[in-house]
Amino acid sequence: MFSDRPLSDRLPFISSKNMIQELCTCSNTYAKYSSLINPYPENSESLGSLETLNQLIITPVINKFGAENFKLTYGFCSKNLLKFLNREKSRICVKVDQHMSYEINSRGNYYCKHLGAACDFVITGIDSRKVISYLKTLNFDSIYYYGADRPIHVSWSAKSRRKIWEFTAQNTPKPYSNYYCV
C-alpha cells in the first residue's frame, strides 16, 4: 500500500529488495487500483535492470540528498499497470521512456526500444536543476526535466546515451540547456 510518509520512515534500511518493491508500487495509479494490478515484472531481465538502476542511480542520489528527502513518484510500469495508465489517459510513452524496462509485448518485441529501467522522483526542498547537476556525474541514460519543483525522470541503460531533455509547457522535448550551478 502506498504511503505519503518518507521512504526512510517506511523502510528500516534501503535494500535492493525493498527498493524494487517501491519502484513497482510507488505510482498514484497503482495506489488507486492496487487490488487489480500485478505491479511486478514478468521478464527477469527487467528485474536485473531495476536492480542496476537502484545501484547506479537511486542509491547514490539517496546518499547525496538523504532518504528523508527522496520520494519516488513513478517507477516500473508492468503490463497490468499500463492498462490502467492508458484508461486514465496518462502522458506516457512506453516506446522510449524505459519505465517498462525489458518487458515484452504480445508480438514478442520489447515495449521500449531503449532497454534499461527508469524512475521519476523528487527531492523535497531541492531545486530539480541542482539534482540534475548531480545526476550528470552518474552513469545515466536519459534525464527529463519538467521544472524546478517537479519530479525528474532518470533512466539507466547498458548503452548509455547520456541525453538530457527539457519539456516545454506544451510537453514538447528539447535539449536541456540549463547549466545551473550551485
Side-chain angles (χ1 to χ4, degrees):
M1 186 70 176
F2 180 79
S3 173
D4 285 331
R5 292 182 301 145
L7 191 65
S8 59
D9 290 350
R10 290 180 274 147
L11 306 174
F13 62 95
I14 302 170
S15 69
S16 181
K17 180 181 175 184
N18 288 341
M19 184 54 72
I20 299 306
Q21 180 175 351
E22 187 77 12
L23 280 164
C24 293
T25 61
C26 65
S27 73
N28 289 335
T29 303
Y30 175 76
K32 188 174 178 180
Y33 302 106
S34 62
S35 65
L36 303 171
I37 296 174
N38 172 3
Y40 299 103
E42 291 179 7
N43 188 338
S44 62
E45 289 176 287
S46 292
L47 184 59
S49 193
L50 291 169
E51 289 172 345
T52 302
L53 176 71
N54 180 42
Q55 178 186 10
L56 297 180
I57 305 292
I58 296 172
T59 297
V61 167
I62 289 172
N63 289 342
K64 172 77 174 169
F65 296 102
E68 67 280 1
N69 298 318
F70 181 86
K71 180 176 179 170
L72 281 169
T73 58
Y74 184 40
F76 174 74
C77 180
S78 69
K79 292 177 189 180
N80 285 156
L81 179 59
L82 179 61
K83 291 175 190 174
F84 287 88
L85 289 168
N86 286 335
R87 284 183 196 168
E88 296 202 341
K89 299 185 185 343
S90 294
R91 296 178 323 166
I92 58 172
C93 187
V94 298
K95 290 181 180 181
V96 296
D97 72 13
Q98 296 166 288
H99 285 286
M100 290 196 76
S101 195
Y102 283 80
E103 296 303 286
I104 298 171
N105 65 25
S106 61
R107 294 186 199 131
N109 299 316
Y110 293 113
Y111 280 90
C112 181
K113 64 182 182 179
H114 307 293
L115 299 175
C119 68
D120 297 5
F121 68 90
V122 65
I123 303 295
T124 56
I126 305 289
D127 187 310
S128 290
R129 294 170 293 187
K130 181 177 180 180
V131 179
I132 289 173
S133 290
Y134 177 69
L135 287 171
K136 288 162 70 173
T137 70
L138 303 177
N139 186 20
F140 72 93
D141 182 56
S142 63
I143 296 170
Y144 302 168
Y145 171 75
Y146 297 104
D149 60 349
R150 305 266 322 271
I152 298 166
H153 167 97
V154 64
S155 66
W156 168 88
S157 175
K159 296 179 181 178
S160 180
R161 295 172 292 153
R162 297 191 64 81
K163 299 280 185 179
I164 305 176
W165 300 98
E166 181 174 354
F167 283 75
T168 66
Q170 295 76 30
N171 203 35
T172 305
K174 65 179 187 175
Y176 181 79
S177 60
N178 189 323
Y179 297 98
Y180 182 79
C181 296
V182 182

